[in-house]
């Protein structure tokens, strides 16, 4: 695999949770696969007063905790030698001269070509300040070497703030230098949506309104908000999952074939889908957007807290931990095909999948089997866990007559036992090092997604008392979300941990 140019990767917020849990272990994995350049340094920065040595010690512990068996002393030691630290108050532009000095020294010592990646793992309130302070030090648009900036989500809080943030970044960086993380795009199975669609001749001809009855996308989590209540209170499921991860999945399922598999061709098609989302009417907002909040219950014999009892959460909170939405894409391919998307915390299991429901057969000749929509063909793209692909189709039951039953044709990634599945962060970091932004969200896509959800946020603000339904923790969300799929015989699929199983009771 291609190796990146020499560079220094600077992480703002290096002692934080994201760096310890995800970033450092991912960079370590790249190191183990020999995918880092020979001339490379990772510079941590933040308020904490580490020295290079104490930062290395701290990161050693992180690797021992989060990298499992891979973290043996023989591999960790040389990796830690690439790590450095400079303590600055990120919110004070004057302190960036020290950052610049440290970078210059490292650049000279290690011959890193004056190339830089800056990773913002800080609170979003600091994003604009960091970008401008880097620019003031000549580290944004540069005469020698290259500079890229990676921004964590949330990218904005609503349409206005995302526009403002884009504006702030673009004052000092070119769009090509800005890498907005949506970690779902880094998942191998998410990238495989495009490969399934565009490298097989059998799916694309039927991937449209003539053959697809509806599309269902679920991102369920069994965990609650844990200790992130403070953040989640200001976010909720719509901002936290739907505006970014879910809409990116929708775009990949619905997009037209890109001209090439390069960053701009793919991202142009993503934006076209987001631009084609049919705007919500007042009636849609009232009936087709269901929000829920988990309430206390017993899960497998254990008491489970209500959201309102979680740490950092207002006891009268009206923040949604679940959202289920029915909507349409107004373009040639998808006109009037309903899309149903749901995401929530404290659901029965952790699963993310896309279900394409095909039209039932036009004429029914075998008993009752193909009379209802329930038995139409389905293609299930499982993002996680038990990653794979499943096709459900009718098959004759052996014996007299023509009894038909639904059977499965399935592929599981685990069957490719010798293939290593990189983590999302590992893939995304490596792509940024190579200058490939395909799997990062482009500024216009982020704004399009916000302009789509903005009316929902405004509607909720205007009607705070409306449509927030409780659901017992450990169930599939409020029952009102089931009514979104009104047609007779149709329901959501209730997926289990294993790709091939479904049903309301499978996790019990
Ligand atoms: C994050 C959200 O972006 O995605 C979290 O902030 C959520 O609330 C997480 O738990 C889900 O990601 P994954 O990869 O576990 O599906």
């Amino acid at each position: 695999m291609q190796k990146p140019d020499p560079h220094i990767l600077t992480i703002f917020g290096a002692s934080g949770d994201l760096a310890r849990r995800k970033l450092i272990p991912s960079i370590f994995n790249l190191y183990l696969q020999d995918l880092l350049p020979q001339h490379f340094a990772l510079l941590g920065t933040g308020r904490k007063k580490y020295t290079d040595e104490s930062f290395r010690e701290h990161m050693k512990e992180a690797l021992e905790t989060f990298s499992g068996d891979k973290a043996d002393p023989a591999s960790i030691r040389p990796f830690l030698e690439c790590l450095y630290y400079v303590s600055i108050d990120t919110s004070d532009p004057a302190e960036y001269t020290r950052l610049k000095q440290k970078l210059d020294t490292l650049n000279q010592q290690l011959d890193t070509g004056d190339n830089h990646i800056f990773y913002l793992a800080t609170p979003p309130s600091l994003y604009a300040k960091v970008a401008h302070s880097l620019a003031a030090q000549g580290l944004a648009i540069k005469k020698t070497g290259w500079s890229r900036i990676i921004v964590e989500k949330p990218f904005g809080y609503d349409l206005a703030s995302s526009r403002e943030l884009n504006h702030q970044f673009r004052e000092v960086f070119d769009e090509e230098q800005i890498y907005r993380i949506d970690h779902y795009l880094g998942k191998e199975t998410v990238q495989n949506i495009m490969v399934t669609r565009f490298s097989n001749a059998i799916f694309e001809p039927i991937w449209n309104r003539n053959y697809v009855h509806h599309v269902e996308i679920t991102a369920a989590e069994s965990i609650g908000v844990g200790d992130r209540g403070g953040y989640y209170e200001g976010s909720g499921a719509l901002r936290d999952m739907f505006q970014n991860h879910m809409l990116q999945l929708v775009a990949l399922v619905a997009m037209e074939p890109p001209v090439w598999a390069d960053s701009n061709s793919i991202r142009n098609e993503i934006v076209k889908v987001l631009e084609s989302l049919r705007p919500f009417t007042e009636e849609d907002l009232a009936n087709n957007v269901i929000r829920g909040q988990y309430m206390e219950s017993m899960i497998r014999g254990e008491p489970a807290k209500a959201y309102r009892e979680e740490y950092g959460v207002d006891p009268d909170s009206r923040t949604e931990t679940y959202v289920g939405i029915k909507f349409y894409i107004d373009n040639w391919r998808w006109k009037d095909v309903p899309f149903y998307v749901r995401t929530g915390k404290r659901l029965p299991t952790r699963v993310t999948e896309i279900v394409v429901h095909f039209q039932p057969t036009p004429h029914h000749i075998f008993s009752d089997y193909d009379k209802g929509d329930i038995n139409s063909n389905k293609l299930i793209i499982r993002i996680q866990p038990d990653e794979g692909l499943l096709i459900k189709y009718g098959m004759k039951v052996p014996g007299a007559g023509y009894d038909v039953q639904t059977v499965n044709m399935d592929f599981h990634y685990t069957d490719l036992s010798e293939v290593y599945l990189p983590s999302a962060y590992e893939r995304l970091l490596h792509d940024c090092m190579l200058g490939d932004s395909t799997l990062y969200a482009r500024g216009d896509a982020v704004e399009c997604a916000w302009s789509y959800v903005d009316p929902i946020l405004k509607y909720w603000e205007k009607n705070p008392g409306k449509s927030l339904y409780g659901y017992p923790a450990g169930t599939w969300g409020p029952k009102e979300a089931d009514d979104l799929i009104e047609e007779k015989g149709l329901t959501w699929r209730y997926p289990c941990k294993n790709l091939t199983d479904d049903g309301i009771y499978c996790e019990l």
Side-chain angles (χ1 to χ4, degrees), residues 149-210:
I149 187 158
I150 305 183
V151 195
E152 259 300 324
K153 80 175 251 274
F155 198 87
Y157 182 75
D158 54 14
L159 179 59
S161 56
S162 70
R163 279 192 178 143
E164 175 56 24
L165 204 51
N166 267 336
H167 170 74
Q168 292 285 343
F169 274 99
R170 286 180 190 141
E171 272 189 344
V172 286
F173 285 94
D174 291 332
E175 176 64 35
E176 296 68 48
Q177 296 177 278
I178 309 170
Y179 290 69
R180 298 171 193 79
I181 286 249
D182 184 313
H183 81 276
Y184 264 57
L185 293 177
K187 291 181 193 274
E188 195 60 40
T189 42
V190 171
Q191 293 148 38
N192 193 41
I193 298 172
M194 267 193 299
V195 177
T196 303
R197 291 189 53 198
F198 304 132
S199 74
N200 295 297
I202 55 171
F203 297 122
E204 210 40 33
I206 51 171
W207 206 267
N208 57 50
R209 66 189 309 275
N210 298 321

Side-chain angles (χ1 to χ4, degrees), residues 47-94:
R47 265 187 216 225
K48 289 243 168 80
K49 302 271 179 237
Y50 293 121
T51 58
D52 290 345
E53 268 322 308
S54 59
F55 180 61
R56 288 172 186 170
E57 200 46 43
H58 187 54
M59 290 304 128
K60 180 169 170 265
E61 282 160 25
L63 289 174
E64 283 163 357
T65 315
F66 299 111
S67 287
D69 296 346
K70 291 183 208 152
D72 64 277
S75 341
I76 293 189
R77 212 172 309 116
F79 171 71
L80 291 176
E81 277 164 25
C82 306
L83 270 51
Y84 301 85
Y85 191 83
V86 61
S87 164
I88 64 164
D89 173 357
T90 317
S91 64
D92 181 358

Side-chain angles (χ1 to χ4, degrees), residues 41 112 128 164 166 221 228 294:
T112 49
E164 175 56 24
N166 267 336
E221 293 183 89
R228 295 170 74 224
Y294 62 81

